[in-house]
């Protein structure tokens, strides 16, 4: 009997039995999982789901959801209502809907077509876009849902589509296949029941992670065996926490705890494993990845918000115009105009007996008549422009394509293009953003001796500042350079360390490096070809270092580490030593740990605990005595720190068997505890991680990214203030700031640090309340003092530039509402601000402090998960893509591969975008106002009756055809100065910061000229049309005059656009010529035909009548020129006397040939120094990306500590799940609101 | 390929091939001969000559040794993309050399490259002209406009001046004195004698045709209620006789039968008539061909005859001869082309005789039309035409004024240029140079 048959029979049986127990239990189960909703973080429902593996009928009563997914927004039925609803949430659309409805009433002077046509065109365009996107999603879903997967049915694997998969099914996934649902990992073709997975779909990380099945289930690999598998899974209800999973597997009355280690998430793919077998636990929308698909609240640009104000102003104008007209109509209406037939039976709108009603109704009439003042197509046009800008220009910019990592820039939203042109405050993460996050083992200190002769960039920078010039030492023959290792010291390389005074300590040092880690070796087991998979590049660097020192770690099994030791090289021997790994006490996210220990047993039975971690943590746990080494090493640590190196202390402890055994018992207990596992493990670890003996310390260099320094300089010339927010130590941060010229010696530095003696002293007393008070007072005083000083400098003319440095602990107090004001004032005065040791939450707080407090436009750039909150908090979030994980990119609005691409992104794309959108908006404003005003002037001469001046179709097509395209072309192609000049004169960017192009003054100028032009249009055309027009002496009617006026408007408005352009491509000619031509073609056809169904008062033949007169040509020549004369004069005078900066730059470079920046592009990278080439080569190595944050000195726990203190939990880091022995309880993810 | 073959004969083996990834157009333009081991970097890949075959290599592979590339072009330089010169080649390949990795990897990487394709559009490098509005241009354009406009203005003004126009306002004078207090009563009464005689003096020779207009003031033919009170369908065809829904309040008679032509516009048709005589000799006034042909032919049907027109209690204006189809009723057609402004002229007829200077024209006016109710004026206009139409100085004056203004502006710009010159592209005018102060921008 196949599985399907079983299901069917089960259903029938259930119905037969009915009621009773099964129904009750079913209801109960349903209740337990109904509380979970998609896309939202819900508190865990008390309850669990029970899954009967490989038994569809047993699972049937619970009615788990199927595995088919649907990510579409609409379906066929809901598309129209839902899509339209979305559209009408826009005020302009809603307004036009109301106007359209109004225009079907007799009040309206215009045919409904006037408003319906543009509205429906706009809606149609938007809906088509929506439908297209949804259709793509649908197709995508279909493909995914019908992907085949092997399912166990009976004793065979059968291929069924994903959507038919059910909870409890046993599936087989082959190499490189994707997991169709969240699976419980049972067995894999690898020995030891491990499999490797890639989580690129989840978090973008491409490094492999290991999952390990429970030993008990390793055997269920073949279909025969697997069909015997009858386990019951009891696990948590579906939730969106990617890194947690708790549950038990009950198999043959044995309860085995489950951890995230056994869970394979949908969307991940299987790597380096032939195939694996798993049981489906969560399906479809209940999988963790699906529950994580939240809609990030979209950001709106500041300019768009200002645009709303402009629209409001237009509404105000509209109201005034209507009011004037309405009052006029009330006054005008009079029976004396007998020819208007205002008898007793006249309708209300023209009834002279009730002038008030006349005025009110005319108000509505005019509202429909003047509706064109609201630019309905503005939003659609802007959206279109921005979409093309982001998809075609930003995403395809070769200047922002990073060859080494093969990453182009990516605009993830098109809403914020112009915001990029107005950024004033830039918040940058340090690690991975300013620096490469490319860790190289650089120096070490062992037994009180410093090894490693290299000089860091930072030191060079420091030296340069001191006026010294440091030459690179010639590399010795022994120097080795590979990824993660940039170390040179003849004393210890190539086995020379045997001759050092302390070879035993050195040996411990190397062993510690080779053993104490969680790195996975991959590939060929030879020193040249092996690849290390590590949680952080630091770890890999350390293992690589060990390899180069002759302690080659080449194989890991769950219980052993194989190291090929060549310390006996002199005797010509290489020895493979296998160390038994008894326990691994890992780094975790707790603030307390910051260390990692491994307990191993030497082949000779020696039991050792190796530990590495942050200096503070290790020093606390050192055994008494031996202060000499401790102090020297501490000195070295400081030395390394000031050289910009990342340090780590190494220590060990010999254990006696008894001690270990007794401890191990506690450890196993803690490990298997279901509640509070992590806490307990920590506690237990404390018992054994003490009385350590210090070996030494390592120093790892974190290199600056290419061009960071130049980029920062350019950006600060552009008026952008750069703040560095980092989790690193103050010294490191300051050094990096020096290295990238954020700070220099001419600057006055204000430092608020918690690492001062008085604070330490108070801290040592151990009273947290007292400490807090003390720090707060200190911070308060210092802030006030610095602020006074800074203000003093501000008023003096030649004051130095100021820099402000604060650390996380002090920041916590400075962000207190009472001190916040001073903090903000002080930091706004300073030209660079550095916050070190800050948590992600604080990063976000600082960002929003400036965003909300100073109302400046902010940009955050970062690369890691710890920057997510900051990226979301800022106006514009930029993620660094390429090397790191995707968390930051996923949260960002723009993703670039290198920090230095910010120059292009901001100074070129942002500036242009801002410039263009401003022009587009003001132009839209102008063209609609001009057009509507001509109508308004006409109203005065029609007895305020609300008679329309133009034909309905003229009015409806004005916005959508006759003037639509050129403005889009302007929005796409207008360039004030070329890209290279934008970067050469970064100061031009200040025009955007000052918002020079979208001030009320600018709008006022446009408004003034639209009034002027509309007067010219109306009065010139009407005045010249009075008496006869050609030899025939025949006279024009209303429609002839209005068609004339409309022709003038279309021509002028289009030519005006050309005048607004800085660079005129052939597209400008085509679109502007095309628009004018379109009008003529339209009017030729429209007025040339007459059908039976023509409407009233059609404009039949007017254009031909018009064109038969000289009047037409004379007016057509005169009116546009007169209308544009004002603008021309203004532009001339403005340019001459009040030139914008860009105009001067244009003039300076007016004779430059068109620079072909592509040529320049090819030159980039040709002049690399050998060093750069090396690092380039390193980046070319197969990628091995991960978070550095798993490391002690980067204190992953630090953040969550602060966050939890502030009552908010920080987002989890996507670090390697596999390595974590246990997890904290599932915590709620914060969805950041902006 | 012939060219190639000749090359191959040379002892050293040579590759003779077009770079495979060049487009058709460029392939014609550029022809490349490679010697063994040569590299050529084109766009994304390096093409190598190996054993007489062209092979594509990833740019990441460094070419060994000296690179010698001979580039031959059959035609002159290709317009679009140049084949890189030797120097460039060296640069490019050295760039390529920075990467490492095996050939297989590299070609795979090549396929997966996300490098955007170059296009002028995406790189925003479309060829463009970048006009700069320098003072020179401003002055030139002003002068240019002035020079063009003034002659046009003069010509128009001259044409307008040639037009001889006689305007006579007769509304008040044609009301007998005893009715001067009650002009409305006079005009509405059917008893009163509305005939009125006026004498006009021809100031200058008026060549035929002399057009006769009537001009009304304060008459809102463009009022919304008025404009829409008509039925174009009814006017066009007898089939739509009953189509009077838009004609309120003059749609139907009291008994419900449709009025043809219906609506306020037709109802209020102007009904003053003029008879002209010179020296007691009557002047023929032609009423033909006073409406636009298109109106006559298409908008007013030849099978539509007036019906029930002006039969109601209130009579608005002229009556129509119900035996003449609408298409022949040119007065009506002219009237129904509603005017744009409340002051308008409409063509009444044509006098096909020259009027000599100082001739006295006697006009016999039937003063029927009620403009007194709303305070409007009535004028009789006799006018000749020129190419520009009737007498209208506006265009000429406007052209002259604007032209003059342009010249004036040009001169003042020149003066300003002399008095307060600003050197073009002077960096000291840049805002950050003008205001170099400190950290506050």
């Amino acid at each position: 009997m196949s599985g399907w048959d079983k299901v069917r029979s089960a259903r029938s049986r259930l119905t037969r039995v009915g009621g009773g127990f099964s129904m009750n239990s079913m209801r109960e189960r349903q209740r337990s999982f109904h509380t979970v909703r998609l896309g939202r973080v819900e508190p865990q429902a008390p309850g669990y789901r029970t899954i009967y593996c490989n038994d569809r009928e047993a699972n049937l009563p619970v009615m788990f959801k199927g595995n088919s997914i649907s990510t579409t927004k609409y379906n066929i039925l809901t598309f129209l209502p839902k899509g339209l609803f979305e559209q009408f949430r826009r005020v302009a659309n809603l307004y036009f809907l109301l106007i359209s409805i109004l225009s079907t009433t007799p009040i309206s002077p215009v045919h409904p077509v006037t408003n319906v046509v543009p509205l429906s065109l706009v809606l149609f365009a938007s809906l088509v876009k929506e439908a297209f996107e949804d259709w793509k999603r649908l197709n995508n879903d279909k493909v995914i849902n019908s992907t085949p997967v092997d399912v166990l049915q009976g004793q065979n694997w059968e291929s069924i589509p994903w959507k038919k998969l059910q909870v409890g099914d046993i599936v087989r996934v082959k190499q490189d296949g994707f997991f169709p649902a969240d699976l419980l990992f049972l067995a894999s073709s690898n020995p030891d029941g491990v499999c490797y997975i890639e989580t690129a779909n989840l978090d973008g990380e491409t490094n492999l992670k290991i999952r390990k099945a429970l030993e008990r289930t390793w055997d269920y690999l073949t279909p025969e065996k697997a069909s015997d598998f009858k386990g019951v899974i009891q696990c948590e209800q579906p939730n969106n926490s990617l890194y947690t999973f708790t549950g038990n597997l009950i198999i043959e009355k044995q309860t085995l705890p489950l951890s995230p280690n056994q869970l394979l998430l949908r969307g991940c793919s299987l790597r380096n494993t032939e195939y694996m077998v798993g049981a489906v636990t969560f399906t479809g929308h209940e999988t963790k990845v699906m529950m994580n698909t939240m809609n990030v609240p979209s950001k709106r640009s500041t300019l768009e918000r200002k645009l709303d104000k402009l629209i409001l102003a237009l509404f105000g104008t509209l109201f005034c115009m209507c009011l004037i007209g309405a009052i006029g109509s009330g006054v005008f209406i009079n029976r004396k105009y007998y020819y208007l037939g205002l008898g007793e039976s006249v309708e209300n709108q023209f009834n002279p007996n009730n002038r008030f009603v006349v005025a009110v109704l005319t108000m509505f009439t005019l509202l429909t008549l003047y509706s064109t003042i609201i630019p309905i197509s503005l939003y659609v046009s802007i959206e279109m422009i921005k979409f093309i800008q982001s998809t075609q220009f930003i995403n395809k910019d070769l200047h922002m394509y990073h060859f080494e990592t093969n990453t182009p820039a990516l605009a993830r939203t098109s809403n914020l293009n112009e915001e990029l042109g107005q950024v004033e405050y830039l918040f940058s993460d340090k690690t991975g953003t300013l620096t490469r996050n490319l860790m190289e083992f650089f120096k070490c200190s062992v037994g009180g001796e410093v090894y490693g002769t290299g000089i860091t960039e930072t030191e060079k920078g420091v030296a340069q500042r001191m006026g010294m010039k440091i030459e690179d030492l010639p590399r010795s023959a022994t120097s080795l350079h590979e990824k993660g290792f940039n170390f040179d010291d003849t004393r210890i390389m190539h086995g020379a360390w045997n001759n050092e005074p302390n070879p035993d300590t050195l040996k411990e040092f190397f062993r510690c490096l080779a053993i104490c880690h969680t790195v996975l070796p991959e590939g060929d087991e030879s020193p040249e070809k092996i690849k290390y998979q590590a949680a952080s590049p630091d770890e890999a660097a350390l293992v690589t270092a060990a390899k180069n020192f002759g302690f080659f770690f080449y194989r890991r099994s769950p219980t052993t580490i194989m190291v090929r030791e060549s310390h006996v090289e002199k005797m010509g021997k290489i020895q493979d030593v296998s160390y038994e790994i008894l326990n691994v006490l890992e780094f975790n996210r707790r603030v307390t740990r910051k260390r990692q220990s491994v307990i191993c047993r030497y082949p000779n039975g020696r039991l050792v605990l190796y530990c590495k971690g942050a200096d503070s943590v290790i020093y606390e746990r050192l055994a008494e005595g031996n202060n000499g080494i401790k102090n020297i090493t501490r000195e070295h640590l400081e030395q390394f720190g000031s050289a910009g190196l990342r340090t780590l202390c190494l220590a060990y402890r010999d254990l006696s068997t008894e001690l270990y055994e007794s401890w191990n018992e506690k450890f196993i207990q803690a490990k298997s505890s279901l509640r509070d596992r992590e806490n307990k493990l920590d506690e237990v670890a404390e018992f054994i991680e003490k009385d350590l003996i210090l070996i030494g310390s390592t120093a790892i260099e974190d290199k600056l990214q290419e061009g960071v320094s130049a980029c920062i300089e350019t950006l600060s010339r552009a008026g952008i203030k750069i703040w560095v927010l980092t989790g690193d130590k103050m010294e490191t941060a300051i050094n990096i700031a020096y290295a990238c010229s954020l700070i220099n010696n001419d600057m006055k530095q204000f430092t608020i640090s918690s690492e001062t003696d008085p604070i330490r002293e108070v801290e040592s007393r151990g009273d947290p309340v007292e400490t807090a008070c003390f720090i707060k007072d200190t911070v308060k005083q210092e802030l006030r003092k610095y602020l006074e000083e800074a203000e003093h400098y501000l008023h003096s003319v030649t004051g130095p530039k100021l820099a402000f440095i604060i650390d996380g602990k002090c920041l916590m107090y400075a962000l207190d509402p009472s001190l916040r004001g001073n903090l903000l004032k002080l930091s706004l005065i300073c030209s660079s601000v550095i916050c070190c040791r800050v948590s992600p939450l604080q990063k976000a707080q600082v960002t929003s402090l400036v965003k909300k407090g100073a109302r400046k436009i902010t940009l955050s750039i970062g690369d890691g998960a710890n920057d997510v909150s900051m990226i979301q908090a800022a106006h514009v979030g930029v993620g660094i893509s390429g090397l790191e994980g995707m968390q930051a990119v996923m949260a960002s609005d723009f993703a670039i591969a290198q920090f230095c691409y910010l120059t292009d992104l901001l100074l070129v794309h942002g500036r242009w975008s801002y410039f263009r959108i401003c022009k587009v908006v003001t132009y839209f404003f102008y063209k609609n106002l001009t057009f509507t005003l001509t109508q308004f002037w006409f109203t005065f001469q029609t007895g305020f009756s609300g008679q329309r001046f133009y034909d309905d179709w003229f009015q409806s097509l004005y916005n959508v055809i006759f003037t639509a395209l050129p403005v889009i072309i302007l929005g796409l192609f207008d360039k004030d100065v070329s890209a290279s000049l934008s970067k050469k004169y970064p100061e031009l960017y200040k025009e955007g910061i000052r918002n020079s192009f979208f001030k009320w003054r600018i709008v006022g100028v446009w408004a003034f000229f639209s009034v002027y032009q509309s007067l010219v249009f109306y009065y010139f055309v009407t005045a010249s049309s009075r008496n006869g027009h050609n030899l025939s002496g025949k006279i024009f009617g209303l429609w002839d005059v209005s068609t004339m006026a409309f022709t003038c408007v279309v021509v002028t408005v289009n030519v005006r656009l050309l005048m607004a352009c800085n660079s005129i491509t052939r597209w400008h000619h085509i679109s502007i010529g095309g628009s004018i031509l379109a009008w003529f073609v339209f009017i030729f056809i429209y007025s040339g035909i007459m059908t039976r169904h023509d409407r009233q008062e059609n404009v039949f033949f007017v254009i031909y009548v018009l064109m038969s007169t000289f009047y037409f040509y004379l007016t057509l020549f005169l009116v546009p020129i007169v209308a544009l004369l004002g603008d021309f004069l203004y532009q001339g005078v403005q340019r001459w006397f009040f030139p914008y900066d860009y105009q001067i730059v244009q003039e300076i470079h007016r004779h430059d040939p068109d620079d072909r920046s592509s040529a320049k592009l090819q030159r980039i990278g040709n002049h690399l120094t050998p060093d750069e080439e090396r690092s380039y080569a390193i980046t070319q190595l197969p990628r091995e990306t991960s978070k550095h944050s798993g490391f002690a000195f980067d204190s992953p726990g630090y953040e969550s500590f602060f966050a939890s203190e502030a009552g908010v939990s920080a987002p989890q880091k996507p670090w390697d799940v596999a390595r974590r022995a246990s997890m904290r309880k599932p915590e709620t993810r914060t969805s950041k609101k902006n | 390929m012939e060219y190639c073959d000749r090359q191959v004969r040379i002892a050293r083996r040579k590759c003779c091939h077009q770079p495979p990834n060049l487009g058709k157009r460029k392939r014609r333009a550029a022809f490349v001969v490679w010697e063994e081991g040569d590299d050529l970097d084109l766009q994304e890949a390096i093409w190598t000559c190996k054993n007489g075959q062209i092979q594509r290599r990833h740019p990441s592979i460094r070419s060994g040794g000296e690179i010698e590339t001979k580039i031959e072009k059959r035609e002159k330089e290709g317009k679009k993309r140049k084949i890189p010169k030797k120097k460039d080649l060296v640069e490019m390949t050295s760039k390529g050399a920075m990467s490492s990795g095996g050939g297989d990897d590299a070609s795979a990487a090549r396929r997966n490259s996300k490098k955007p394709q170059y296009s002028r559009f995406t790189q925003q490098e479309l060829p463009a002209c970048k006009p700069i509005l320098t003072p020179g241009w401003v002055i030139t354009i002003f002068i240019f406009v002035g020079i063009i406009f003034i002659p046009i203005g003069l010509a128009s003004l001259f044409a307008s001046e040639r037009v001889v126009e006689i305007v006579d306002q007769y509304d008040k004078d044609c009301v007998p004195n005893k009715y001067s207090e009650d002009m409305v009563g006079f005009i509405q009464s059917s008893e009163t004698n509305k005939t009125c005689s006026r004498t006009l003096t021809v100031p200058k020779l008026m060549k035929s045709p002399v057009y006769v207009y009537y001009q009304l003031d304060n008459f809102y033919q463009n009022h919304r209620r008025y404009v829409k009170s008509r039925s174009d369908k009814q006017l066009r065809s007898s089939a739509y006789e009953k189509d009077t829904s838009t004609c309120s309040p003059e749609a139907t008679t009291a008994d419900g039968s449709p009025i043809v032509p219906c609506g306020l516009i037709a109802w209020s048709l102007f009904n003053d008539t003029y008879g002209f005589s010179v020296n007691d000799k009557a002047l023929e006034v032609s009423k033909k061909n006073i409406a636009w042909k298109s109106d006559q032919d298409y908008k007013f049907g030849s099978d539509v005859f007036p019906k029930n027109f002006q039969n109601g209690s209130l009579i608005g204006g002229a009556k129509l001869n119900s035996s003449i189809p609408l298409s022949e009723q040119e007065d009506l057609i002219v009237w129904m082309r509603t005017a744009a402004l409340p002051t308008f002229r409409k063509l009444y007829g044509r006098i096909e005789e020259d009027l000599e200077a100082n001739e006295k024209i006697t006009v016999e006016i039937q003063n029927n039309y009620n403009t007194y109710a709303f305070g409007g004026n009535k004028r009789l206009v006799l006018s000749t035409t020129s190419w520009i139409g009737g007498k209208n100085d506006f265009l000429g004056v406007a052209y002259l004024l604007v032209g003059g203004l342009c010249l004036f502006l040009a001169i003042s710009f020149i003066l300003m240029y002399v008095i307060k010159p600003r050197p073009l592209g002077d960096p000291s005018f840049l805002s950050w140079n003008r205001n170099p102060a400190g950290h506050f921008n």
Side-chain angles (χ1 to χ4, degrees), chain A residues 515-568:
Chain A
I515 296 169
C516 181
H517 55 76
T518 49
V519 174
L520 281 177
E522 246 193 10
D524 209 18
E525 289 175 0
S526 73
E528 292 78 31
K529 290 192 180 160
I530 199 148
K531 289 171 192 166
Y532 291 122
Q533 292 280 354
S536 81
D538 304 69
E539 254 201 325
L542 293 178
V543 178
T544 313
K547 177 181 86 179
N548 286 309
F549 291 131
F551 289 75
F552 171 42
F553 156 67
Y554 65 94
R555 191 184 301 161
R556 173 193 281 276
S557 76
T559 51
T560 54
I561 276 182
M562 303 290 286
V563 179
R564 188 167 296 155
E565 300 188 356
S566 52
H567 56 281
V568 283

Side-chain angles (χ1 to χ4, degrees), chain A residues 783-846:
Chain A
L783 267 182
R784 195 180 301 145
K785 189 180 82 193
Y786 290 151
L787 185 62
E788 274 168 22
E789 207 176 323
E791 275 171 349
H792 170 73
Y793 283 126
L794 185 66
H795 295 307
S796 68
V797 186
T798 53
K801 286 200 169 191
L802 308 171
F804 177 54
I805 300 143
I806 188 167
D807 75 354
K809 217 181 232 175
C810 295
L811 190 63
M812 195 165 74
Y813 297 102
L815 283 172
D816 191 89
S818 59
L819 301 182
R820 207 177 263 183
N822 280 353
L823 175 72
L824 184 65
K825 271 188 230 161
L826 177 61
S827 17
L828 291 189
I829 295 173
C830 295
S831 44
S832 15
V833 176
I834 291 155
C835 307
C836 25
R837 285 287 190 207
V838 289
S839 65
L841 184 74
Q842 284 181 318
K843 287 182 177 184
Q845 281 174 337
V846 171

Side-chain angles (χ1 to χ4, degrees), chain B residues 109-309:
Chain B
R110 178 67 246 140
R111 275 198 301 278
N112 296 334
S113 174
K114 292 176 193 153
K115 184 176 182 179
Q117 286 288 315
Y118 175 86
S119 83
R120 283 183 169 176
F121 172 68
T122 58
Q123 301 309 311
Q124 310 193 56
E125 287 169 359
L126 289 172
C129 79
K130 294 165 186 156
I132 294 179
L133 199 62
T134 59
W137 273 108
V138 176
I139 292 164
T140 316
I141 287 171
F142 274 136
I143 290 178
F144 185 73
V145 171
I147 286 175
I148 298 220
F149 267 35
I150 287 175
I152 296 177
L154 286 175
S156 321
L157 208 55
F158 181 69
S160 172
E161 283 305 312
R162 259 186 25 214
V163 174
V164 186
E165 193 181 71
I166 306 167
V167 181
D168 180 49
Q169 183 176 347
Y170 61 87
D171 45 20
K172 291 212 176 61
D173 298 343
C174 283
V175 178
N177 281 339
K178 61 175 179 174
Y179 287 105
S180 63
E181 296 301 311
D182 184 22
M183 295 194 213
V184 180
F186 164 78
I187 204 78
Q188 281 176 342
S189 160
S190 52
E191 308 295 309
T192 46
N193 179 13
K194 307 236 172 46
T195 315
C196 169
S197 184
R198 310 279 297 170
T199 311
L200 310 173
T201 313
V202 180
K204 266 197 278 182
L205 169 72
M206 294 173 89
K207 288 220 163 200
S208 80
V210 175
Y211 293 93
V212 181
Y213 299 94
Y214 52 91
Q215 179 175 336
L216 299 181
D217 266 350
N218 210 11
F219 193 102
Y220 287 88
Q221 261 207 325
N222 57 13
H223 194 277
R224 185 154 77 90
R225 184 173 165 79
Y226 190 80
V227 172
K228 67 179 180 187
S229 183
R230 63 191 281 162
S231 169
D232 280 353
K233 278 189 180 162
Q234 190 202 45
L235 296 176
R236 200 155 63 215
S237 153
S238 56
Y240 294 104
E241 190 184 278
K242 292 201 170 66
D243 204 335
T244 61
S245 58
T246 54
C247 286
S248 129
E250 291 296 325
T252 51
T253 55
D255 60 359
S257 53
I259 300 173
V260 182
C262 69
L264 283 172
I265 308 180
W267 175 75
S268 61
L269 175 62
F270 188 73
N271 59 356
D272 284 7
T273 56
Y274 310 116
F276 297 91
S277 55
V278 179
N279 303 333
D280 295 332
K281 187 176 138 258
L283 286 172
E284 182 79 7
V285 177
S286 162
K287 302 278 257 174
K288 286 285 161 217
N289 198 15
I290 55 171
W292 294 100
K293 192 97 175 71
S294 56
D295 282 3
Q296 223 178 330
D297 290 352
Y298 297 101
K299 291 179 116 175
F300 292 83
S302 53
D303 58 346
V304 186
F305 293 91
K307 209 187 263 180
N308 300 329
F309 191 66

Side-chain angles (χ1 to χ4, degrees), chain A residues 8 25 48 61 66 180 188-189 292 309 456 516 573 607 626-627 680 739 863 935 953 962 1018 1198:
Chain A
R8 232 171 281 130
S25 67
Y48 51 88
S188 88
S189 59
N292 253 296
K309 282 188 201 156
T456 61
C516 181
K573 272 192 202 161
L607 266 178
N626 219 347
N627 284 332
K680 285 183 182 160
D863 68 320
Q935 175 72 64
W953 283 97
F962 305 136
Y1018 182 68
Y1198 196 81

Side-chain angles (χ1 to χ4, degrees), chain A residues 99-256:
Chain A
I99 293 295
S100 303
I101 292 167
L102 208 58
S103 63
T104 55
T105 63
I107 285 177
S108 160
V110 290
H111 198 264
V113 76
T114 315
N115 297 307
V116 170
V117 166
L119 178 67
S120 38
L121 277 177
V122 163
L123 289 182
F124 181 73
S126 307
L127 284 180
V128 163
K129 184 184 141 235
E130 286 284 309
F132 178 68
E133 283 176 357
D134 218 41
W135 183 71
K136 276 203 297 194
R137 279 194 285 264
L138 179 73
N139 275 353
N140 211 4
D141 288 349
K142 266 189 194 160
V143 170
I144 289 175
N145 282 336
S146 54
T147 318
V149 62
D150 288 345
V151 173
L152 186 71
Q153 279 173 17
Q155 296 221 331
N156 297 307
W157 296 116
E158 280 188 27
S159 183
I160 63 166
W162 278 23
K163 62 183 165 200
K164 292 199 175 157
L165 209 59
Q166 287 188 10
V167 172
D169 286 353
I170 305 287
V171 297
R172 179 178 69 168
V173 178
K174 291 188 187 140
Q175 174 142 5
D176 297 332
F178 288 93
F179 302 122
D182 289 355
L183 306 178
L184 181 73
F185 182 25
L186 296 177
S188 88
S189 59
N190 286 355
D192 321 333
V194 294
C195 72
Y196 299 88
I197 61 166
E198 193 186 272
T199 55
N201 277 4
L202 232 55
D203 52 23
E205 293 186 44
T206 48
N207 62 328
L208 301 186
K209 283 156 196 162
I210 329 167
R211 292 290 185 276
K212 193 173 168 188
L214 294 174
E215 243 182 284
R216 182 69 184 71
T217 62
W218 285 2
D219 300 334
Y220 299 106
L221 195 59
T222 57
E224 296 77 36
K225 283 286 284 179
S227 60
D228 291 342
F229 181 71
K230 290 282 182 238
V232 176
I233 303 167
Q234 285 185 328
C235 65
E236 60 190 15
Q237 289 299 340
N239 60 59
N240 68 352
S241 167
L242 286 176
Y243 307 109
T244 63
F245 176 70
T246 48
N248 287 312
L249 177 66
I250 303 160
I251 180 164
E252 287 162 17
K253 286 174 187 159
Q254 216 177 342
T255 305
L256 305 165

